[in-house]
Amino acid sequence: MTEEGDTVLIKRGDNSYQGVLMPSTTGSIVIKLINGYNAGFDPHTVEMELLEKKSDVMAQEVTIPPPNPNLPTVSILSTGGTIASKVDYRTGAVTSQFTAEDILLAIPELTKIANFNAKVVYSILSENMRPDYWIKLAEEVEKEISSGASGVIITHGTDTMMYTAAALAFMIKTPVPIVFVGSQRSADRPSSDNAMNAICAAQVATSDIAEVTVVMHATTSDDHCNIHRATRVRKMHTSRRDAFQTINSRPLGQVDYPSGKITTHLDYIKRGERELSINIKMTSRCALLKYTTGASPETLLFASANYKGIVLEGTGLGHVSTEWIPYIERTTQAGIPVVMTSQCINGRVCDRVYDTGRDILKAGVIEGEDMLPEVALVKLMWAAGQTQDIDEIKKIMSTNIAGEITRSSQT
Ligand code: ASP
């Protein structure tokens, strides 16, 4: 007799499919295949063979060792996303799991790296993240560090992790590592990246890299994670485990797996080099507009009536059609900063080369240097939270605050 959670072999004609029996309300047999996908079968057309009882799998008891006084203590703050989910075989639902105990039971290797405290700050998919949630998250991180955490890990959905990570990099000057981690594939899939990413994140959280970083799978194999500076990273693929890439620079470093050896490639701020401080002033009323061929400049009028700052994703070196230039001028003259970035993603804007560029500069555009458009947006929200003076905002936008601008691009 089979039940949900059993491993079974389904035979249909010459084909056979192995997987874990899932709940089904339709009368079909549903199994989760080894590749992580679900497959449904008409029970009248297949034969099902039991390979392994669910209870055999569950019988492997794991216990958590008591806290080790020789290890540092790391705080894990959960915001949701795939990394915080597990599949409930009774209902088939992906649910959020999040006590320190849950994590350590799921990934026992972590207990060799640190002691952990865990807290759920949000249980959301990251597409539902909002700038006011960044503020609360920054405050929670501050609390953990002030209470003595040696490092903080923030688990986050991968889709908008780069925005939240950049926001915290602008808001917090940290004396300890703050590490964002997520997973592209949930824990129930054999190819899940959640355990390896979490273990590598814990290595970085106990290292001397006192910056806000994102730690994620680096290649298609399970050999290392890259350590990305929060203001340089971008999700570049919808589903691959190595989706996260540092843009316009090298990754700050890497963590080898399973050895945990950290190698750094860039200079970085070291543990204890600065005092903890937090500046959460920020306005969400900024927009990122992508210029596309034929886009109406009136978009800019709408944006300037509704927002306190605008980032443009221009073409090439940082251009929009000449039609847009008078509208940009009206916007900046109304005291609304306009920052130019490039939809090329790689490279630096330079509006001094072509006439269009020079006219755009005359219209008052602030050059976004080699900042990623999304990072420029988060920074503008932060800058416009500090001051309403357009010249002051320009100064902030042109100053490197958290590694988001480099003088000359390194790639
Ligand atoms: N949509 C999910 C999220 O960003 C995907 C993930 O967690 O990776 O929350």
Side-chain angles (χ1 to χ4, degrees):
M1 181 66 185
T2 52
E3 59 181 327
E4 287 158 16
D6 288 348
T7 302
V8 294
L9 190 71
I10 305 280
K11 289 184 191 151
R12 187 168 57 192
D14 291 341
N15 298 323
S16 55
Y17 307 86
Q18 184 179 328
V20 174
L21 201 54
M22 299 291 287
S24 164
T25 48
T26 58
S28 5
I29 297 173
V30 179
I31 63 167
K32 186 162 284 286
L33 299 168
I34 289 171
N35 64 13
Y37 290 101
N38 288 353
F41 301 91
D42 178 347
H44 306 293
T45 61
V46 298
E47 274 172 48
M48 182 162 69
E49 185 187 314
L50 174 67
L51 292 182
E52 190 176 20
K53 279 302 286 172
K54 167 178 133 181
S55 50
D56 299 337
V57 179
M58 300 297 170
Q60 300 159 7
E61 280 255 323
V62 191
T63 49
I64 305 170
N68 179 342
N70 300 320
L71 292 180
T73 297
V74 166
S75 296
I76 305 186
L77 299 180
S78 170
T79 66
T82 300
I83 192 165
S85 63
K86 68 174 175 193
V87 170
D88 183 333
Y89 286 110
R90 282 168 302 116
T91 61
V94 176
T95 55
S96 174
Q97 51 152 22
F98 228 81
T99 62
E101 208 175 42
D102 284 335
I103 303 157
L104 299 177
L105 282 173
I107 314 173
E109 295 92 326
L110 288 173
T111 57
K112 299 199 183 84
I113 304 171
N115 301 310
F116 293 92
N117 294 320
K119 184 171 182 183
V120 178
V121 184
Y122 298 108
S123 258
I124 54 172
L125 292 174
S126 77
E127 49 268 41
N128 295 320
M129 189 45 83
R130 300 154 39 130
D132 52 319
Y133 293 1
W134 298 338
I135 293 175
K136 174 159 190 267
L137 185 60
E139 290 171 332
E140 291 292 338
V141 170
E142 185 198 25
K143 267 192 232 159
E144 297 302 317
I145 299 174
S146 311
S147 319
S150 295
V152 179
I153 296 176
I154 299 165
T155 60
H156 198 288
T158 55
D159 290 357
T160 67
M161 186 190 288
M162 59 195 200
Y163 293 84
T164 309
L168 263 60
F170 293 122
M171 289 195 278
I172 306 178
K173 288 197 170 33
T174 178
V176 302
I178 300 175
V179 186
F180 277 78
V181 68
S183 73
Q184 287 278 81
R185 298 185 190 163
S186 55
D188 59 306
R189 294 179 63 174
S191 62
S192 177
D193 47 346
N194 78 336
M196 177 174 151
N197 288 352
I199 292 165
C200 291
Q203 299 289 5
V204 179
T206 51
S207 75
D208 69 340
I209 303 171
E211 296 199 17
V212 183
T213 55
V214 167
V215 171
M216 291 289 289
H217 242 78
T219 63
T220 46
S221 46
D222 287 348
D223 53 3
H224 71 283
C225 280
N226 273 334
I227 309 168
H228 305 276
R229 199 160 250 154
T231 53
R232 284 285 174 192
V233 69
R234 200 165 192 283
K235 181 173 177 175
M236 301 296 281
H237 198 278
T238 54
S239 55
R240 281 172 65 136
R241 298 183 305 175
D242 58 348
F244 279 75
Q245 286 176 26
T246 288
I247 307 290
N248 276 330
S249 179
R250 297 180 69 192
L252 195 156
Q254 70 177 63
V255 190
D256 292 343
Y257 181 83
S259 74
K261 181 172 174 269
I262 293 181
T263 312
T264 53
H265 310 312
L266 303 173
D267 289 341
Y268 58 90
I269 300 169
K270 300 211 167 51
R271 184 181 283 280
E273 249 176 44
R274 57 187 175 182
E275 296 277 307
L276 174 64
S277 73
I278 169 167
N279 179 342
I280 53 171
K281 282 182 267 160
M282 143 135 355
T283 173
S284 60
R285 300 220 53 79
C286 292
L288 171 57
L289 296 185
K290 182 170 188 145
Y291 173 77
T292 53
T293 297
S296 162
E298 279 167 18
T299 319
L300 207 48
L301 286 187
F302 172 81
S304 55
N306 290 283
Y307 293 98
K308 292 189 170 165
I310 293 160
V311 175
L312 291 178
E313 212 182 274
T315 60
L317 289 169
H319 296 159
V320 287
S321 82
T322 43
E323 234 193 324
W324 276 53
I325 296 172
Y327 288 81
I328 293 180
E329 196 164 8
R330 271 168 71 179
T331 307
T332 58
Q333 281 179 356
I336 294 167
V338 179
V339 179
M340 182 62 79
T341 60
S342 173
Q343 52 199 248
C344 293
I345 303 296
N346 284 290
R348 169 186 304 275
V349 293
C350 180
D351 278 318
R352 284 145 227 272
V353 181
Y354 298 96
D355 282 349
T356 330
R358 285 200 282 267
D359 291 342
I360 285 171
L361 284 182
K362 268 195 233 135
V365 147
I366 303 166
E367 285 180 298
E369 309 273 351
D370 60 342
M371 272 186 282
L372 281 165
E374 302 85 3
V375 172
L377 173 70
V378 174
K379 187 175 179 186
L380 188 58
M381 289 176 171
W382 186 78
Q386 312 300 311
T387 173
Q388 291 190 355
D389 182 314
I390 195 164
D391 293 327
E392 282 302 308
I393 291 176
K394 180 170 184 175
K395 243 189 244 160
I396 298 172
M397 290 307 292
S398 312
T399 306
N400 174 43
I401 310 260
E404 74 283 8
I405 295 178
T406 37
R407 287 250 149 70
S408 60
S409 300
Q410 297 164 19
T411 51

